[in-house]
Amino acid sequence: MIAFACGLFLVAGPTEATAGSKKAPQAPLVFDIDKRKKTKRPVTDWLRISGYANLRFQGERNIRRDDDVTDRTDEIAAYLGFAARTDLGRGMTGFLHAEVDVRDKQTHLRSYGRIMQPNLKEALLSFPTGDTGQLSIGRLRFSDPYKWVADASVDGLHYAVRSGDAAFEFAAVQGTRDVTATYLLAHTSRAADKRRAGAFAIAERDGADRRMHLSAYLGDQVSARFSYQLNAATVIGDAAHGRSFGVGIDARAIQKLGTGRWDRQITYGFAMGTPGFQQSGLHSNKTKDGGQTQFHRYGYVFQPELTNLAVGTLAYGLRLSRTVSVDLSAHAYLQPNRRSTGPIARIKGATTGKSRFVGSEISLAGAWRPTKKSKLEVGIGRFMPGPAYADRSKASRLYMRLSIYF
């Protein structure tokens, strides 16, 4: 893995800017104070704010198996959030992102009633250290270039330094909400033209478990019609399924079929994790292939982890305009090792241990942005269990969200 990461750096080594050339690309960071949520409304010459409101509906059917019941969950939620950025002088920046949601949830068994929940998503101070360094302390939003390693809010400190087309960052953080582990993270990256490459080393402590995650990535826009992303990782220590070691890979290629009235593209994807592999816990496995909305790269309904699982993906995307996008995706799932326990996924259920074929899914994600201050997102999917499952009944999910920005 270390040799692989070094190879990426050699491929994506530094490039010298020439007179009249475009601005040199910046190496990616998991946290960059200059790229946090935009605050477009000035209050004073040192304070800027922004806000948003969301209305969301989510309906799920038969997510839980093995009970001979067609279970149902419907949830309506309203979100109100705001972000504020303040200039404290001498390069110091304060940033706050808070949200409150009110939701009403019903299942086939009961109604949970109306629940209100506040959420402090970010609250931090950031200040420069020297000409190229930046230190940030507080609640931070981490997100790596491909969201395969980090995409979560964490508490702690983060230090980053950029020099030309190279960057290095270090963080000591604690997970928030459902993430209970603590982490030491180191990330180094390079950029050259439209290519991005880097490597992570993450030490994780989750209760009595200790594990080390080593990973590397490479992404390149080869031409106007072809781009790719590669991720590879290994976990050492208290890995999944009682093992001490595991390996995972994720490869995606995007082929544009030309420009015209309907800007079309095809995405080819393959990902696999061995029985011992598991991701860091900071990830979300979401992706955005040039459209107006994110979607789950391994399935909208199933949403699996890569432990003892292989996923093949084929997606067809339409970019009807700058305001409308649609992505139709198909996924197939296999277990490298047959097991009598199901994959770690949104779908819960026992497997027979007699077949590797877990199932398949088809999903549709679309978005319409009629104005710069509004967006409608829709997602719908259906999961078809394979012979690996004891309960072969199908599962589905519907998601709609209307967002207003101000």
Side-chain angles (χ1 to χ4, degrees), residues 355-377:
S355 174
R356 288 187 172 88
F357 183 49
V358 174
S360 60
E361 177 180 318
I362 185 166
S363 59
L364 179 71
W368 175 41
R369 195 158 197 163
T371 70
K372 290 184 178 180
K373 295 185 178 181
S374 61
K375 181 164 65 170
L376 176 65
E377 300 164 272

Side-chain angles (χ1 to χ4, degrees), residues 139-142 149-155 173-183 202-207 211 213 278-284 305:
R139 177 157 295 184
L140 317 169
R141 176 72 184 188
F142 279 6
V149 172
D151 186 26
S153 292
V154 294
D155 292 330
V173 297
Q174 167 74 50
T176 62
R177 305 193 79 172
D178 295 335
V179 181
T180 59
T182 57
Y183 303 88
I202 303 176
E204 177 188 359
R205 183 181 67 183
D206 189 3
R211 58 184 68 94
H213 305 267
Q278 64 183 93
Q279 292 172 266
S280 67
L282 298 174
H283 60 286
S284 70
E305 301 290 326

Side-chain angles (χ1 to χ4, degrees), residues 37 51-56 77 79 99 292-293 367-378 399-406:
K37 185 175 288 293
Y52 59 90
N54 298 332
L55 182 63
R56 188 196 75 180
Y79 294 78
E99 184 180 83
Q292 293 290 333
T293 186
W368 175 41
R369 195 158 197 163
T371 70
K372 290 184 178 180
K373 295 185 178 181
S374 61
K375 181 164 65 170
L376 176 65
E377 300 164 272
V378 177
Y399 177 91
M400 294 185 291
R401 182 171 68 176
L402 175 63
S403 302
I404 306 295
Y405 307 95
F406 48 86

Side-chain angles (χ1 to χ4, degrees), residues 13-234:
T15 57
E16 296 183 2
T18 57
S21 64
K22 296 180 180 179
K23 184 179 179 180
Q26 284 193 321
L29 298 171
V30 296
F31 178 80
D32 188 342
I33 185 60
D34 295 327
K35 294 184 179 181
R36 295 314 305 128
K37 185 175 288 293
K38 294 180 179 179
T39 49
K40 297 184 178 181
R41 290 185 175 271
V43 178
T44 68
D45 57 356
W46 50 269
L47 176 64
R48 301 177 67 88
I49 63 173
S50 65
Y52 59 90
N54 298 332
L55 182 63
R56 188 196 75 180
F57 170 79
Q58 178 174 276
E60 296 180 324
R61 300 293 182 269
N62 226 20
I63 296 299
R64 296 186 179 276
R65 342 242 86 217
D66 308 330
D67 54 7
D68 295 323
V69 175
T70 303
D71 54 88
R72 172 182 59 84
T73 302
D74 293 317
E75 183 178 272
I76 298 176
Y79 294 78
L80 181 64
F82 79 96
R85 180 188 295 266
T86 178
D87 179 5
L88 302 175
R90 296 187 178 182
M92 291 184 61
T93 300
F95 186 80
L96 175 68
H97 180 196
E99 184 180 83
V100 61
D101 68 78
V102 180
R103 61 185 67 195
D104 190 305
K105 182 178 177 180
Q106 295 184 344
T107 71
H108 60 289
L109 294 176
R110 59 174 290 195
S111 173
Y112 288 82
R114 195 167 289 113
I115 301 172
M116 178 179 290
Q117 179 177 343
N119 182 15
L120 184 61
K121 305 190 80 169
E122 295 176 81
L124 62 102
L125 289 175
S126 183
F127 48 90
T129 59
D131 295 333
T132 59
Q134 193 80 19
L135 180 65
S136 302
I137 302 173
R139 177 157 295 184
L140 317 169
R141 176 72 184 188
F142 279 6
S143 183
D144 76 85
Y146 305 124
K147 299 183 184 294
W148 199 67
V149 172
D151 186 26
S153 292
V154 294
D155 292 330
L157 62 87
H158 171 271
Y159 173 74
V161 58
R162 271 196 178 119
S163 179
D165 58 6
F168 172 80
E169 58 189 329
F170 171 82
V173 297
Q174 167 74 50
T176 62
R177 305 193 79 172
D178 295 335
V179 181
T180 59
T182 57
Y183 303 88
L184 293 178
L185 178 149
H187 174 218
T188 181
S189 62
R190 288 188 182 273
D193 195 17
K194 295 183 179 181
R195 182 179 298 167
R196 301 291 184 271
F200 287 93
I202 303 176
E204 177 188 359
R205 183 181 67 183
D206 189 3
D209 293 339
R210 306 287 189 274
R211 58 184 68 94
M212 174 66 72
H213 305 267
L214 301 174
S215 63
Y217 62 88
L218 173 64
D220 194 6
Q221 180 78 44
V222 178
S223 68
R225 294 195 175 188
F226 184 78
S227 62
Y228 67 85
Q229 305 168 11
L230 299 174
N231 292 277
T234 185

